[in-house]
Amino acid sequence: MNSIKQSDALARVKPSPTLAVTQKARELKAAGKDVISLGAGEPDFDTPDYVKDAAIAAIRNGETKYTAVDGIPELKDAIIAKFQRDNGLDYSRDQISVGPGGKAVIYNALVATLNSGDEVIIPAPYWVSYPDMVLLAGGEPVIVDASLENGFRLTPDTLEKAITPKTKWLIFNSPSNPTGAGYSHEDIKQLTDVILRHPQMMIMSDDMYEHIVYDGFQFATPAQVEPKLYDRTLTVNGASKAYAMTGWRIGYAGGPHDLIKAMAKVMSQSTSNACSISQWAAATALNGDHGFLKERNTAFKERRDMVVEMLNAAEGISCATPQGAFYVYPSCKGVIGKKTPSGVLIESDAEFAAQLLIAEGVAVVFGAAFGSSPFFRISYAAAIDQLRDACERIQRFCGTLR
Ligand code: GLU
């Protein structure tokens, strides 16, 4: 078979590390290995029954054809109601875009707006796909440090210094994947004050973990905090995390009409609409009773507290307590430079994750994938017994390093 030469655009990017780790764990399990997969960020809960019922009804009602490119009116109305209810944001139907997953919505927005050389500011640690999506869309990711010392939050000073006349977007994510760090109303205000002074740039706010917060943390989003930026903000969200609907692929955004129209143009020539059945299911999810979220957050919090405590008890590991999402992002600085019993030098977080998988069958994602080392990410969206087992294995592994 002829080998295919990748396009220059594709050659600039790498495959998604979160999906690669998950796939690797899947293969090891299929081969009979005892693997605990804490790689992908995916709730272990099932999609609620009322949502499944809506999907079955949609199939029976023949809602199985092409839909409007960027979403059926019924889902757009449910999204409009959600933005009003949860965020105090008013949008009309022509300001809403529905796509096949939050990932696709972000990608569409970048493709719709970036020219060669346009810069996108991305605080690190970042979700693995932001920089590569910017590269694929022809732009330049500008990575800025959101350091552990500042609770993994971007400071206004760091933001100000990164802005140039070419800056097109800041990608903002709270609670954050991979750190779980949440920005308060006041934290966001300090950032939006900076952005107000730079009319060439917009904010893309990835609010995917909005509903997964702990200890009374009050979620806020930039367009709500600074109404003057309403016309310069794309507020992105989705059904995947809150409703445990990762496989259904429904993401959505509210933003300025021109941008939403441009995103629809991208979709019309690429994916067309998100799955019709998933759209009906998502409309029901958004309009439904959200009581189950509280119950699930209580379970997530119990897991978070146990994982943080057990990781801090592992030699060389230090783990901060996050405000939201279902990730922890511990430092593994204390094991760098040590050797495994078989003599392998742990010289990086990638090596730490690789050796942990070999020795104890625990799959985690290494920090370099998120632009910040030496750390690793654990998704604690797994059963508590499995998490306890995984943390015991991590403690045991760290205890063997010399
Ligand atoms: N957002 C999830 C994660 O970070 C899903 C996998 C992905 O698309 O990256 O693990």
Side-chain angles (χ1 to χ4, degrees):
M1 204 174 80
N2 290 334
S3 70
I4 293 174
K5 190 168 176 332
Q6 289 182 17
S7 67
D8 293 343
L10 195 64
R12 296 174 80 194
V13 310
K14 57 186 181 317
S16 162
T18 45
L19 299 187
V21 167
T22 312
Q23 183 56 25
K24 170 109 186 167
R26 214 177 266 139
E27 283 164 17
L28 288 171
K29 264 190 206 167
K33 296 251 176 353
D34 170 22
V35 170
I36 304 179
S37 181
L38 306 178
E42 166 165 74
D44 57 322
F45 300 117
D46 201 1
T47 304
D49 279 340
Y50 74 95
V51 176
K52 289 182 182 173
D53 291 343
I56 293 163
I59 294 173
R60 294 212 192 286
N61 294 340
E63 304 289 357
T64 53
K65 309 278 199 241
Y66 293 130
T67 73
V69 166
D70 64 358
I72 55 174
E74 291 80 357
L75 176 51
K76 287 195 171 191
D77 288 348
I79 293 165
I80 290 167
K82 176 262 175 281
F83 277 132
Q84 271 167 351
R85 181 176 68 232
D86 297 340
N87 314 112
L89 291 172
D90 287 321
Y91 293 112
S92 51
R93 280 186 190 166
D94 62 2
Q95 290 180 292
I96 300 290
S97 183
V98 176
K103 226 168 179 167
V105 171
I106 294 168
Y107 185 64
N108 290 341
L110 294 172
V111 168
T113 54
L114 293 182
N115 286 314
S116 164
D118 284 346
E119 295 171 1
V120 178
I121 298 176
I122 303 173
Y126 47 72
W127 175 48
V128 293
S129 292
Y130 297 144
D132 291 76
M133 289 201 271
V134 169
L135 288 168
L136 265 180
E140 296 300 328
V142 174
I143 308 300
V144 295
D145 193 29
S147 63
L148 174 60
E149 292 67 44
N150 196 44
F152 292 121
R153 280 181 285 271
L154 174 65
T155 64
D157 264 10
T158 309
L159 172 62
E160 182 78 68
K161 286 194 189 108
I163 297 172
T164 77
K166 289 182 169 176
T167 306
K168 201 102 192 216
W169 290 100
L170 163 70
I171 301 189
F172 176 80
N173 175 218
S174 167
S176 145
N177 176 2
T179 65
Y183 289 67
S184 69
H185 190 283
E186 187 45 40
D187 294 330
I188 297 176
K189 182 78 176 71
Q190 290 185 8
L191 298 178
T192 53
D193 282 351
V194 173
I195 292 168
L196 275 177
R197 295 197 288 273
H198 299 277
Q200 81 282 16
M201 70 181 289
M202 299 182 61
I203 311 180
M204 194 177 309
S205 183
D206 177 350
D207 296 356
M208 198 55 88
Y209 298 92
E210 166 178 14
H211 291 297
I212 305 169
V213 293
Y214 314 109
D215 309 324
F217 176 80
Q218 292 293 315
F219 173 83
T221 191
Q224 166 194 35
V225 170
E226 181 46 85
K228 288 192 209 111
L229 289 176
Y230 173 82
D231 285 331
R232 287 162 56 193
T233 305
L234 186 71
T235 305
V236 182
N237 213 315
S240 292
K241 313 295 178 179
Y243 305 100
M245 290 176 70
T246 45
W248 301 70
R249 311 308 303 136
I250 293 291
Y252 58 84
H257 168 62
D258 286 356
L259 173 60
I260 295 295
K261 203 169 144 194
M263 289 161 69
K265 191 166 157 189
V266 175
M267 291 182 78
S268 78
Q269 294 290 19
S270 52
T271 55
S272 291
N273 59 274
C275 168
S276 58
I277 300 150
S278 298
Q279 289 191 62
W280 284 98
T284 302
L286 284 166
N287 288 334
D289 178 3
H290 289 71
F292 68 94
L293 285 175
K294 201 164 170 254
E295 205 176 291
R296 291 186 175 185
N297 279 4
T298 305
F300 279 139
K301 180 178 152 31
E302 189 190 345
R303 299 167 186 189
R304 178 201 66 169
D305 291 345
M306 185 194 74
V307 167
V308 168
E309 194 187 320
M310 290 186 76
L311 288 173
N312 278 320
E315 251 181 274
I317 306 295
S318 143
C319 184
T321 303
Q323 292 81 34
F326 38 61
Y327 305 109
V328 286
Y329 199 62
S331 162
C332 55
K333 202 170 167 185
V335 302
I336 302 295
K338 291 187 175 177
K339 284 189 175 164
T340 65
S342 57
V344 179
L345 177 66
I346 307 286
E347 54 184 4
S348 63
D349 50 32
E351 193 64 60
F352 172 77
Q355 294 304 320
L356 176 64
L357 183 59
I358 293 169
E360 292 286 354
V362 179
V364 300
V365 187
F366 56 96
F370 306 96
S372 188
S373 291
F375 294 91
F376 61 102
R377 186 189 81 174
I378 282 184
S379 164
Y380 54 86
I384 194 140
D385 292 342
Q386 233 187 1
L387 288 168
R388 189 176 300 106
D389 185 3
C391 289
E392 280 167 4
R393 294 186 196 196
I394 293 171
Q395 289 175 350
R396 191 162 58 217
F397 175 66
C398 291
T400 64
L401 303 176
R402 293 288 172 263

